[in-house]
Amino acid sequence: MTEIEDNIKNVKDYYDTSTKWYDWFYYDKESLGLHYGFWESKKDSKKDALTNQYKIIKDLLKPQKDELILDAGCGVGGASIWLAEHTEAKYMGITLSEEQVRFAQKYIKRRRVEKRVKVQVGNYLDTKFPDKYFDKVFGIESMCYAYPKPLSLYKEIYRVLKPGGKFVISDGVYLRKPKNDSERKISIDYCNGFKLVDMITPTEIMKDLKEAGFRDIKTIDKTKEIKKSIDYIDSRSKLVKPLRFLRYFNLVSQTEVENLLATLNQKNMYETGLFGYAVFASEK
């Protein structure tokens, strides 16, 4: 059992617990995004920024009619729902969290995309899908749970992807590794709160993608475009103090408190130049 596999239960529990907080304090009800937004212009609203993520995925994948596309680590299915509304492809989402599946099924029915979007419990390290099953695969802020050694994940994605299929990753990254005790503490607190084992750099990601067999690997730096999302999330972190009070009376879990503490550290990570964001596109 690897360290990543040991962390699966922690990730599942984290999302089962935190999904309601995202729903209350972060989700945009139209995009259903719980990810960082890309603020491409000063006129962008939060909804615009969140759907800008989906537009980049759409542009890179170029979904075609009746293609089957895997949303690996799909959350509540927001990306797949939006993509189904704007393309003619079919989408299969997998998540470790039963709670997220419950939310996703509600939204899928509400948006009337049941025929082209399915979401189920699944582990992207061992998907159980046949070889060469999907035309394309993407993951938005989910691949990070396979860090710091994502090679086994990339190999599994490669296995289920058809020849010539595209694989797109959109996720947070280290811009550089921590260089002193203070930076290491910020990073550890950030990772603990979001149930990450560690972070890695774009260079490391590209190296493992290549080793897994992917080719034509490209990366797009989106660090500047997430700044307003960082600020927005940081403003919500003021809930840490009342949550700690509720924790004293066992009304919330330690995971919920740690998650909000991580939102404080993420701004520190960003402002010290440790944390950034990138989109990776590759082909089988």
Side-chain angles (χ1 to χ4, degrees):
M1 185 75 68
T2 67
E3 186 176 17
I4 294 296
E5 289 168 331
D6 283 336
N7 197 44
I8 287 173
K9 183 180 183 301
N10 289 335
V11 175
K12 176 189 176 301
D13 291 346
Y14 165 71
Y15 278 107
D16 281 344
T17 301
S18 65
T19 293
K20 65 177 181 292
W21 291 100
Y22 284 111
D23 189 45
W24 293 341
F25 295 109
Y26 189 73
Y27 280 140
D28 166 71
K29 299 301 181 182
E30 185 171 339
S31 70
L32 305 178
L34 54 85
H35 51 267
Y36 292 98
F38 295 161
W39 303 80
E40 306 285 1
S41 77
K42 293 181 180 179
K43 295 181 180 179
D44 280 347
S45 65
K46 186 177 113 177
K47 183 193 77 172
D48 294 332
L50 292 170
T51 55
N52 282 340
Q53 272 261 29
Y54 302 154
K55 290 176 181 177
I56 285 183
I57 299 295
K58 177 175 175 284
D59 290 345
L60 291 171
L61 287 182
K62 294 180 171 54
Q64 303 298 309
K65 184 176 181 179
D66 294 331
E67 284 186 333
L68 182 59
I69 298 176
L70 176 63
D71 183 350
C74 65
V76 299
S80 288
I81 291 170
W82 187 93
L83 287 164
E85 292 173 334
H86 292 82
T87 73
E88 295 183 281
K90 298 176 183 177
Y91 298 86
M92 169 63 74
I94 57 172
T95 171
L96 292 171
S97 169
E98 289 94 344
E99 185 71 3
Q100 288 190 328
V101 171
R102 185 180 69 80
F103 271 73
Q105 290 172 341
K106 176 179 70 174
Y107 294 131
I108 288 166
K109 184 176 181 180
R110 188 177 295 171
R111 302 281 275 270
R112 300 179 180 178
V113 290
E114 300 100 317
K115 292 183 178 180
R116 290 195 296 115
V117 181
K118 306 294 181 187
V119 171
Q120 64 187 43
V121 172
N123 176 6
Y124 61 28
L125 293 170
D126 183 17
T127 66
K128 309 299 184 186
F129 294 114
D131 293 355
K132 305 173 186 176
Y133 190 70
F134 293 98
D135 294 282
K136 291 158 185 176
V137 179
F138 72 94
I140 299 179
E141 293 169 29
S142 58
M143 303 287 123
C144 53
Y145 291 104
Y147 298 165
K149 297 178 180 179
L151 180 58
S152 61
L153 167 61
Y154 299 161
K155 286 181 176 179
E156 175 68 359
I157 299 299
Y158 191 89
R159 182 186 69 79
V160 301
L161 192 59
K162 293 179 181 179
K166 300 176 187 294
F167 177 32
V168 174
I169 301 169
S170 184
D171 223 322
V173 294
Y174 266 145
L175 296 180
R176 60 175 177 81
K177 297 295 180 74
K179 60 185 179 182
N180 55 49
D181 289 344
S182 175
E183 290 185 351
R184 279 187 284 274
K185 184 179 187 311
I186 292 170
S187 177
I188 289 169
D189 288 345
Y190 172 85
C191 289
N192 285 345
F194 288 117
K195 303 307 175 189
L196 302 170
V197 175
D198 202 353
M199 298 284 289
I200 56 177
T201 65
T203 299
E204 291 171 305
I205 292 170
M206 295 176 75
K207 176 179 176 294
D208 280 350
L209 284 170
K210 184 176 181 180
E211 187 172 343
F214 288 98
R215 60 186 177 84
D216 295 334
I217 304 166
K218 301 177 180 64
T219 180
I220 306 168
D221 185 0
K222 303 300 288 184
T223 301
K224 291 181 180 178
E225 286 83 352
I226 68 166
K227 184 181 184 304
K228 284 190 177 181
S229 285
I230 294 284
D231 292 339
Y232 182 89
I233 294 167
D234 182 68
S235 71
R236 294 301 192 261
S237 64
K238 294 178 174 59
L239 290 165
V240 169
K241 288 184 179 179
L243 217 61
R244 279 174 163 168
F245 177 78
L246 294 174
R247 175 62 185 153
Y248 181 79
F249 294 100
N250 291 317
L251 296 175
V252 297
S253 68
Q254 183 61 26
T255 294
E256 291 167 283
V257 176
E258 289 173 351
N259 181 218
L260 277 173
L261 286 170
T263 65
L264 288 171
N265 282 294
Q266 101 183 320
K267 187 165 186 177
N268 289 335
M269 292 260 291
Y270 185 84
E271 291 183 341
T272 56
L274 282 169
F275 181 75
Y277 204 98
V279 178
F280 303 85
S282 60
E283 293 185 16
K284 179 174 179 177

